[in-house]
Amino acid sequence: MQTEVLRSEKGGYVKADVLHKLDRMNALLMAVRGGMRREEAMAELESIRETELRREKAGLFGKIGFSVEDTDAYLESVGQMILEAVY
């Protein structure tokens, strides 16, 4: 059974930006579980969270990106997993 975590929508977040941010968060989660210091982890998490996600152009000839609502919720849940691993 497949479930789609991030739906696509016209004018959503640029897919490459979202995937890059998720890669950084995953690497941080693995580093935290591997023993990364709390201060370093929190600084890196803040840096990742501050990274802006570009939006695809909307309109008649707009491009398809990841749903803004889905992406924001998913990134927040991954951020929570990192915080739980840190503490």
Side-chain angles (χ1 to χ4, degrees), residues 44-81:
E44 179 64 18
L45 180 58
E46 187 62 30
S47 171
I48 293 169
R49 284 183 168 170
E50 290 176 358
T51 303
E52 292 289 325
L53 294 173
R54 297 174 294 160
R55 301 270 307 255
E56 293 287 3
K57 293 182 182 175
L60 184 59
F61 298 106
K63 292 188 174 185
I64 302 294
F66 284 128
S67 165
V68 173
E69 181 182 341
D70 292 352
T71 302
D72 289 343
Y74 188 69
L75 290 173
E76 183 60 33
S77 69
V78 175
Q80 285 300 116
M81 286 184 355

